[in-house]
Amino acid sequence: MSRNTDFIPFARPAIGREEERAVISVLRSGWLTTGREARKFEEEFAASVGTSYTLAVSSATAGLHLSLEALGVKANSLVITTPYSFAASAEVIRYLGADPFFLDIEEDSFNLSPENLEKALAEQGERVSAILPVHIAGLPCSMAEILEHAGNYKLPVVEDGAHMQPGEFTEKGDRYRGTLEGTRVYSFYCTKTITTGEGGMVATDRQEVAERIRLMRLHGIDREVWDRYTSKKPSWYYQVEEAGYKYNLTDLAAAIGRVQLRKAAEFLKARKRIAGRYLAALSALDFLKTPQNSEAHGWHLFLLRIVEDRLSIGRDAFVNELQQRGIGISVHFIPLHIMPYYKRRYGYREDDFPTAFKNFRTSLSLPIYPGLTDKEVERVIEAVKHIGSKYYQRRSHGA
Ligand SMILES: Cc1ncc(COP(=O)(O)O)c(C=O)c1O
């Protein structure tokens, strides 16, 4: 028997017959690109997250780019964010010729620290044009404080919600509605909480921002594709108002998204259950740090950290051991400040953001997705415990 027959993949999309049927129905409809399905998906998503406007886009990266553009981020300004994220969060700032101004993260949440934000705004206030917090793993940032600091400087906030659940966004259990000072951007990449293969959604409460994004996501053309083929104006007629982008979501993708959205609550329940089992089994072990728990956590990722002086092996070897036992593991994230581009451009060193670097050095992501069975969860837990006890080292006396 090859070891791979019982390999537990790190991620597995939850796609069923309903998604297959939805795609077939679009294929047979004769309308494949942005149209009725995309519009319906936007309406249903708006109702789910509780914002006034939603715009379906080809990826979260596209949505972040469009958001910063619509909120007036200009070349040579600064956009405050954290280095503990995927490439997308900072590259979109560079698309506009602005510079990311990285701030170190909170150790336990992996998120933007409101204290660091307050200090940075006091020092850099004039040059900052927006704030881009990332809700890492699906754990909401401290938005009340972040919005308060942003409000003091009249700055827009673009929330990178690529890891968030599309359901009601709650912070400390409260419904999060109507306080959107900028935009919140969701991702439907294949590993995310709901997926369309590739895709994203921008949510906002500001009409002028929604209108600008609507214009810029499709070439800066003054009419949407659907409208061009349904309105009384000649279908060939349109005006190019701006040099826009090609960031629309197809109906094929939107049809999958609509089905996934209907299943989102059930998916979240499954993720919470797995997180609960991991937490119950692993949080008492002194060679591990389990992730911060919260009712509002979307559990896109389960970020486990090893306690370095309790083990004779480091994170890389710990990950290898798990993989040798047939368990798919990932690491989120290699911080952006140690990536060649950012090192070259801004001269960063590892210890410029010590918490981000330490969290990177010690963390690994366990599999967590709706299709993961109880047996598989047990196998992951047993493997983590086993490796921990194999390489456990007691602290030397008096240490
Ligand atoms: C934190 C974060 N932001 C943005 C993105 C970009 O999402 P997309 O692939 O939909 O462009 C990702 C993707 O993994 C991400 O992890």
Side-chain angles (χ1 to χ4, degrees), residues 3 22 50 75 109 152 185 189 214 221 244 369 392:
R3 209 186 57 215
S109 72
N152 291 339
V185 183
Y189 178 69
R214 204 184 306 284
I221 286 174
Y369 44 88
Y392 191 77

mmCIF file of all heavy atoms in Angstrom, residues 3 22 50 75 109 152 185 189 214 221 244 369 392:
data_model
loop_
_atom_site.group_PDB
_atom_site.id
_atom_site.type_symbol
_atom_site.label_atom_id
_atom_site.label_comp_id
_atom_site.label_asym_id
_atom_site.label_seq_id
_atom_site.Cartn_x
_atom_site.Cartn_y
_atom_site.Cartn_z
ATOM 1 N N ARG A 3 1.903 5.034 0.726
ATOM 2 C CA ARG A 3 1.550 5.893 1.840
ATOM 3 C C ARG A 3 0.488 6.924 1.462
ATOM 4 O O ARG A 3 -0.313 7.340 2.280
ATOM 5 C CB ARG A 3 2.815 6.603 2.320
ATOM 6 C CG ARG A 3 2.793 6.950 3.774
ATOM 7 C CD ARG A 3 4.015 7.774 4.119
ATOM 8 N NE ARG A 3 4.072 8.960 3.300
ATOM 9 C CZ ARG A 3 5.203 9.503 2.853
ATOM 10 N NH1 ARG A 3 6.338 8.938 3.113
ATOM 11 N NH2 ARG A 3 5.172 10.610 2.130
ATOM 12 N N ALA A 22 -25.391 23.718 -11.251
ATOM 13 C CA ALA A 22 -25.431 25.168 -11.486
ATOM 14 C C ALA A 22 -24.537 25.547 -12.666
ATOM 15 O O ALA A 22 -24.906 26.385 -13.498
ATOM 16 C CB ALA A 22 -25.006 25.912 -10.228
ATOM 17 N N GLY A 50 -24.566 41.889 5.084
ATOM 18 C CA GLY A 50 -25.226 43.059 5.664
ATOM 19 C C GLY A 50 -24.650 44.392 5.225
ATOM 20 O O GLY A 50 -24.641 45.346 6.003
ATOM 21 N N ALA A 75 -0.080 57.698 -5.900
ATOM 22 C CA ALA A 75 1.354 57.373 -5.918
ATOM 23 C C ALA A 75 2.072 58.164 -4.834
ATOM 24 O O ALA A 75 1.686 59.304 -4.527
ATOM 25 C CB ALA A 75 1.935 57.710 -7.282
ATOM 26 N N SER A 109 -3.027 37.202 18.000
ATOM 27 C CA SER A 109 -4.058 37.242 16.950
ATOM 28 C C SER A 109 -3.451 37.209 15.546
ATOM 29 O O SER A 109 -4.148 36.923 14.588
ATOM 30 C CB SER A 109 -4.911 38.505 17.085
ATOM 31 O OG SER A 109 -4.168 39.637 16.698
ATOM 32 N N ASN A 152 -9.974 59.391 13.284
ATOM 33 C CA ASN A 152 -9.257 60.576 13.776
ATOM 34 C C ASN A 152 -8.451 61.252 12.677
ATOM 35 O O ASN A 152 -8.166 62.439 12.741
ATOM 36 C CB ASN A 152 -8.304 60.194 14.920
ATOM 37 C CG ASN A 152 -9.091 59.801 16.163
ATOM 38 O OD1 ASN A 152 -10.266 60.164 16.299
ATOM 39 N ND2 ASN A 152 -8.463 59.050 17.051
ATOM 40 N N VAL A 185 -13.045 43.062 1.530
ATOM 41 C CA VAL A 185 -12.865 42.268 0.318
ATOM 42 C C VAL A 185 -12.746 40.789 0.674
ATOM 43 O O VAL A 185 -11.913 40.405 1.492
ATOM 44 C CB VAL A 185 -11.599 42.738 -0.446
ATOM 45 C CG1 VAL A 185 -11.451 41.951 -1.741
ATOM 46 C CG2 VAL A 185 -11.673 44.230 -0.744
ATOM 47 N N TYR A 189 -11.012 32.047 -3.728
ATOM 48 C CA TYR A 189 -9.946 31.156 -4.203
ATOM 49 C C TYR A 189 -10.255 29.738 -3.703
ATOM 50 O O TYR A 189 -10.978 29.559 -2.719
ATOM 51 C CB TYR A 189 -8.610 31.678 -3.651
ATOM 52 C CG TYR A 189 -7.429 30.832 -4.022
ATOM 53 C CD1 TYR A 189 -6.978 30.775 -5.338
ATOM 54 C CD2 TYR A 189 -6.751 30.094 -3.057
ATOM 55 C CE1 TYR A 189 -5.893 29.991 -5.679
ATOM 56 C CE2 TYR A 189 -5.660 29.308 -3.389
ATOM 57 C CZ TYR A 189 -5.237 29.256 -4.704
ATOM 58 O OH TYR A 189 -4.168 28.474 -5.038
ATOM 59 N N ARG A 214 -17.525 49.770 -9.781
ATOM 60 C CA ARG A 214 -18.334 49.211 -10.873
ATOM 61 C C ARG A 214 -17.788 49.667 -12.234
ATOM 62 O O ARG A 214 -17.681 48.893 -13.168
ATOM 63 C CB ARG A 214 -19.792 49.671 -10.719
ATOM 64 C CG ARG A 214 -20.798 48.757 -11.384
ATOM 65 C CD ARG A 214 -22.222 49.285 -11.288
ATOM 66 N NE ARG A 214 -22.669 49.604 -9.938
ATOM 67 C CZ ARG A 214 -23.030 48.706 -9.030
ATOM 68 N NH1 ARG A 214 -23.011 47.436 -9.325
ATOM 69 N NH2 ARG A 214 -23.401 49.075 -7.825
ATOM 70 N N ILE A 221 -15.757 51.354 -18.658
ATOM 71 C CA ILE A 221 -16.878 51.527 -19.596
ATOM 72 C C ILE A 221 -18.140 51.909 -18.820
ATOM 73 O O ILE A 221 -18.398 51.369 -17.741
ATOM 74 C CB ILE A 221 -17.080 50.221 -20.409
ATOM 75 C CG1 ILE A 221 -15.957 50.116 -21.449
ATOM 76 C CG2 ILE A 221 -18.448 50.165 -21.066
ATOM 77 C CD1 ILE A 221 -15.951 48.813 -22.221
ATOM 78 N N GLY A 244 -9.814 51.666 -17.289
ATOM 79 C CA GLY A 244 -10.150 50.718 -16.218
ATOM 80 C C GLY A 244 -9.436 49.392 -16.351
ATOM 81 O O GLY A 244 -8.427 49.268 -17.062
ATOM 82 N N TYR A 369 -11.178 21.885 7.067
ATOM 83 C CA TYR A 369 -12.154 22.136 5.989
ATOM 84 C C TYR A 369 -13.343 21.203 6.181
ATOM 85 O O TYR A 369 -13.220 20.141 6.827
ATOM 86 C CB TYR A 369 -11.532 21.949 4.595
ATOM 87 C CG TYR A 369 -10.655 20.739 4.437
ATOM 88 C CD1 TYR A 369 -11.172 19.490 4.072
ATOM 89 C CD2 TYR A 369 -9.285 20.829 4.656
ATOM 90 C CE1 TYR A 369 -10.345 18.379 3.921
ATOM 91 C CE2 TYR A 369 -8.452 19.719 4.512
ATOM 92 C CZ TYR A 369 -8.988 18.504 4.143
ATOM 93 O OH TYR A 369 -8.176 17.409 4.008
ATOM 94 N N TYR A 392 10.278 16.101 22.697
ATOM 95 C CA TYR A 392 10.063 16.971 23.853
ATOM 96 C C TYR A 392 11.364 17.154 24.609
ATOM 97 O O TYR A 392 12.120 16.218 24.800
ATOM 98 C CB TYR A 392 9.017 16.323 24.774
ATOM 99 C CG TYR A 392 8.530 17.260 25.854
ATOM 100 C CD1 TYR A 392 7.620 18.262 25.562
ATOM 101 C CD2 TYR A 392 9.003 17.140 27.165
ATOM 102 C CE1 TYR A 392 7.170 19.122 26.546
ATOM 103 C CE2 TYR A 392 8.548 17.994 28.152
ATOM 104 C CZ TYR A 392 7.635 18.991 27.828
ATOM 105 O OH TYR A 392 7.198 19.847 28.798
#
